Amino acid sequence: MKYKTILGLETHIELKTEQKMFCGCSANYFGKLPNTNICPVCLGLPGALPVPNAQAIAWTILIAKALNCKINLESYFERKHYFYPDLPKGYQISQYLKPFGYNGYLKIGGKRINIERVHLEEDTGKLVHGQGAHSFESAVDFNRSSVPLVEIVTRPDLEGSNDAVAYLKALQLLVKYLGVSNADMEKGSMRCEPNISLVEKTAWNKNHQLPNYKIEVKNINSFKFVKKAIDFEEKRQALLLDEGKTPKQETRRYLESTGKTEAMRSKENAHDYRYFPEPDIPPFAFTQEYLVQIEKQLEQTELPKERIIRLKEECKLTSEAAQVLTENKELGDKFLELLSSTLEFSPIDIANLLINKKVALNQATEQIMAEIRKLLTKTEIKKGQLEDAVSNVLRAQPKAVADYHLGKGNSLQFLLGQVLRVVGRQVEVGKVIAELKTQLNRS
Amino acid sequence: MSKFSIAEVNLLAQLIQLELSEKEAKLFAGEMEETVGFIENLLELPTEAVLPTYQTTGIKNRFQEEKLNERNLPPLLALKNAPQKRDNYFLIKGLGYSK
Amino acid sequence: MTTISSLLNSYRAKKRHPKEVVEKLFAQLEKHNPKLNAYLTFNKLAIKEAAKITQFERPLAGIPIAIKDNFCTTGLRTTASAKLLDNFIPPYDATVITRLKQAGAIIIGKTNMDAWAHGSSTETSDYGTTKNPYDYQRVPGGSSGGSAAAVAAGLPPFAMGSETAGSIRLPAAWCGVVGLKPTYGRVSRYGVIAMGSSLDSPGPLTRSVADAALILQVIAGHDRFDATSSTEAVPNYLSPSTIKHKLTIGISDDYFEGVDKRVVEQFWAAMKIFEKLGHTLKKIKLINPKYSISIYTILQRAEVSSNLCRFDGIRFGHPRSAFSQQAKRRMMLGAFALSSGYYDAYYLKAQKARTLILNNFKEEFTKVDLIAAPTTPTPALKIGESENNPMFGEIMDQLVEASSIAGLPGISLPVGLTAGLPVGIQLIGPWFSEKKLVDLSLEFEQETQFSKIKPPHFYEI
């Protein structure tokens, strides 16, 4: 590849606080009838004033700390001005010069993605477009207006769509484990805007100078589309660069239907946000004690990397099982809940049932346990049956037997599997292993 | 030295979504020049050693103290003043925003 | 003379009832408001509300009050005197309104103002100017001109106004009434259509000092819906005077530059009275008002340009094309001051200069208890006189701007007439010194009996 991709991600995470960012309306707006979840403040009525949500701020700092950021103990909100129908005040209360968090990082695999800033702002309403007879109409629903939104901006350290997806998944998981957001891309509680440009590899290797343009892509609402959009942009930009042209610096929109990006109307590109400190909201001066409280909370929260260790070491699960139960937090939570309510069954067995979707989880714990009990209770096997099954298998697998005597580790596991195939998995595994060892050591 | 050409005045007006007539643009270009000239006396004040005061109250760390949905507006009231509405939505017919 | 106390007493003694008071008030307004143009909207439910009152314990029970049209009132049209909002009916009450209602006050109607409060004469109202009850050829001042005119004419003698810089004190001076601008943060701004967010202070206009104090008592205090409202305790403003020893009153020479010599004369006559009352005058040095004009112009217009962004014609009001020229003028300069490339030189610089103003006051208040100055450079202007100056308002407010920039409380008191026109002087105090201002003003009022001065068109309710 002639070009190196310079990629940065701007992610917005909707916080699942009880109330909105600057008023007491419910932050849980999903599924509500339009314009029923509003008040004078989030509707931007004349005379209305914002009062900040303490929990949203605490959670923003929690996220920032989890991302290894430095924290601005003295901070404030600023007004970011632009006109759009879904922005009731004609400005968004956001942060600019002094974000709550800055200079952090998130590790994906061995790579360190630097985080420039973590700041807090309010969400906008939703613009909806008419259908059918009203297809030329646009309408606004302000239910979502002023829900708390955390903005996380990386430095352009990502190198392509795989990095992007890995980063987003890691961030999503982190935020879920912190308990501050559902971070669901399809539902809009997590949104991502990549900033992409390409630079010729030889030029980059010389002096690491960033290219003189970057393209922002909006309207992406799944990990799959993140990959598609970035891949498409890479190709599009490469073609232009090959022709000796510099891609136009602009904001483009991803189109699900075609898998391509298109330029947005230039009106939306020209912005002088005229930032200035929000006069309606006094500044913040956090104490060390406050920060220490949040750090304690972080310490006491099990993060993904800690859960995976717990699952492997305490619960003795395999790496694969541990990974599945970590990445699917709800499943992992269920697993740990079930485990804590019984000593009857081995963690591995319960884990396998959950991972392989052998039990319906949308029922009460007692009912789940009952099903598990049914599935895991070993059937009794007559000694003679077992002896026969084992000797048959040993006769049929001379190589494995030889391997066993040579000390090769997996041979026993393999033979066990072969026996279980015959006698069925409901048999007491320990008994089978014991019989196998007896017969093997005889031969 | 003119800071305010008619073109600049029109750009600024566009930025804050104001439509100016030709007459107004001309008028404002002159006035803004005049006003900016007047307020230039600010340069005489020694501000190198001071920080800006955005808030005269000195208040810090003020947070919400409100019950959930305390000020919620029922739909009838929320949309009462809407110039264009349908099915509980605020309509923006004719305002030309892209999808 | 009718005051809040005298009305309450007559109600309690069953000599009068609010219904009758309000009915007579409306009858007078029907006759005089068309010419005076103090009111834009009347509260049609006022008589009914007045009729319902049977108990008179509450501090403003049955007291009629006029409200400047930038306070949101549920179900009652609120326009800020702007055509853009000519059909706006708020679905909520400003906190000030809630507190007035809880105290039993009867809202008579919404008064005229400079549109969006952008002015010092009320001429820039989209509904025509209000007349000055002392001379119908003249303006009442602004932006709370409608309230000031109503109070001057006794229709009724109690009103709410608001001040960003001068909008209470200037019209109070030009209409010969008391205008109290509280400390920024003393009274909640929730529900007041914002002009300068870091400056706006709702406050009363009345004919007597006690009435202003009574209204302040009801509206002052922390509001959880306004993050800039202070938690400072609200004293009893009408408790016996706290002035145990005599006060030192500071006067700065810079505050006489360009002031009409008749105003200066009246000012010194008033100062003699303070001396007669045993107080001492002392020379102090305040930063020249010409700088306040610049600081204030930038800060106010910048915040204005921002606060008017929510008027996009989607959820309420008419489209932005309905803005008057004055509003556009202010927004343009404001946006310029905030725009990329100019922010540091203008907005940031003005905020730094603000610190200098604050420090100057802090310094001078270690030497004096209160500061006195003329309220305005001239008495009321003729209608139309202000038209050609794009900075008219800010220049006319030069003597009140510094205290507004600093968030300090100030009160304008009528001191007499000059060529038949009222002149006002102002007392400025340190933050949250309203009690001291009230106490000294009461002394002054007692001595001068200024409330006896009435305009040719006056009605005693």
Side-chain angles (χ1 to χ4, degrees), chain B residues 3 9 16-17 19 24 31 36 39 41-42 44-45 47 51 53-54 62 65 70-71 81 83, chain C residues 89 190 222 224-225 228-229 290-291 294 313-314 316 320 328-329 332 346 349 351 354-355:
Chain B
K3 261 198 196 83
V9 166
I16 52 177
Q17 289 218 339
E19 265 171 43
E24 271 176 328
E31 284 184 353
V36 165
I39 63 185
N41 68 7
L42 264 189
E44 297 164 33
L45 293 174
T47 57
L51 291 171
T53 299
Y54 298 113
R62 195 52 78 73
E65 287 172 65
E70 192 177 327
R71 291 185 274 177
N81 292 289
Chain C
I89 303 193
Y190 179 65
H222 174 59
R224 61 208 165 94
F225 295 152
T228 60
S229 83
K290 68 182 181 187
Y291 296 113
S294 305
I314 293 173
F316 46 83
R320 290 175 80 72
K328 288 190 207 175
R329 169 179 291 127
M332 290 288 290
Y346 293 97
K349 177 88 185 176
Q351 291 285 30
R354 184 182 209 163
T355 306

Side-chain angles (χ1 to χ4, degrees), chain A residues 318-365:
Chain A
T318 60
S319 289
E320 297 78 43
Q323 189 157 348
V324 173
L325 291 177
T326 299
E327 285 175 8
N328 184 337
K329 180 169 191 288
E330 292 79 17
L331 199 60
D333 287 344
K334 199 47 139 185
F335 167 74
L336 291 167
E337 186 195 321
L338 292 171
L339 205 58
S340 70
S341 66
T342 179
L343 290 169
E344 283 179 68
F345 305 106
S346 73
I348 303 171
D349 289 335
I350 299 180
N352 284 331
L353 286 181
L354 258 49
I355 291 170
N356 295 314
K357 304 193 181 154
K358 298 285 188 199
V359 194
L361 294 174
N362 54 348
Q363 48 186 338
T365 309

Side-chain angles (χ1 to χ4, degrees), chain A residues 84-98:
Chain A
Y84 208 67
D86 66 6
L87 189 65
K89 296 186 293 297
Y91 58 84
Q92 179 192 36
I93 301 179
S94 176
Q95 295 194 292
Y96 180 52
L97 290 179
K98 273 230 169 140

Side-chain angles (χ1 to χ4, degrees), chain A residues 135-319:
Chain A
S135 59
F136 290 105
E137 265 174 8
S138 286
V140 199
D141 170 17
F142 292 99
N143 283 350
R144 190 183 72 176
S145 167
S146 214
V147 164
L149 218 54
V150 175
E151 178 171 321
I152 301 163
V153 183
T154 71
R155 296 247 155 79
D157 296 338
L158 299 127
E159 293 176 296
S161 57
N162 293 331
D163 273 0
V165 175
Y167 167 85
L168 290 171
K169 283 191 168 162
L171 183 60
Q172 182 189 56
L173 210 58
L174 179 62
V175 148
K176 278 184 167 177
Y177 274 76
L178 290 174
V180 300
S181 172
N182 294 325
D184 183 333
M185 278 197 86
E186 274 89 3
K187 287 219 180 94
S189 51
M190 177 165 170
R191 297 165 223 166
C192 173
E193 281 160 21
N195 285 286
I196 319 163
S197 34
L198 299 184
V199 69
E200 238 179 60
K201 275 201 178 133
T202 43
W204 174 258
N205 290 331
K206 244 191 252 164
N207 56 12
H208 277 233
Q209 181 161 35
L210 290 172
N212 58 354
Y213 77 95
K214 73 176 174 205
I215 310 292
E216 186 187 23
V217 182
K218 288 182 185 277
N219 197 39
I220 299 171
N221 61 9
S222 77
F223 291 142
K224 190 172 74 183
F225 297 150
V226 167
K227 182 156 173 43
K228 279 189 158 178
I230 293 173
D231 291 343
F232 174 81
E233 262 307 295
E234 279 175 337
K235 288 201 189 78
R236 185 188 76 88
Q237 293 182 26
L239 275 171
L240 285 168
L241 288 167
D242 282 343
E243 288 170 25
K245 307 189 187 136
T246 304
K248 178 165 172 227
Q249 170 124 341
E250 60 187 354
T251 301
R252 297 175 68 86
R253 187 199 344 263
Y254 176 74
L255 294 171
E256 204 175 306
S257 49
T258 59
K260 301 188 176 153
T261 64
E262 71 172 11
M264 283 172 73
R265 280 155 47 120
S266 57
K267 195 158 115 165
E268 283 117 330
N269 287 334
H271 288 308
D272 176 352
Y273 293 122
R274 306 187 303 288
Y275 284 104
F276 74 98
E278 172 56 83
D280 291 332
I281 302 175
F284 305 100
F286 300 121
T287 57
Q288 276 302 327
E289 287 77 42
Y290 175 79
L291 198 57
V292 164
Q293 288 274 52
I294 296 181
E295 284 166 354
K296 260 199 200 134
Q297 193 186 342
L298 184 59
E299 267 169 56
Q300 290 164 356
T301 308
E302 184 179 50
L303 298 180
K305 59 181 183 217
E306 288 153 6
R307 170 161 295 185
I308 205 171
I309 293 176
R310 167 149 75 126
L311 292 174
K312 284 200 285 193
E313 293 178 7
E314 279 175 39
C315 308
K316 307 284 188 227
L317 294 186
T318 60
S319 289

Side-chain angles (χ1 to χ4, degrees), chain C residues 335-354:
Chain C
F336 168 74
L338 291 173
S339 62
S340 150
Y342 294 108
Y343 177 90
D344 284 357
Y346 293 97
Y347 189 75
L348 184 57
K349 177 88 185 176
Q351 291 285 30
K352 286 183 178 175
R354 184 182 209 163

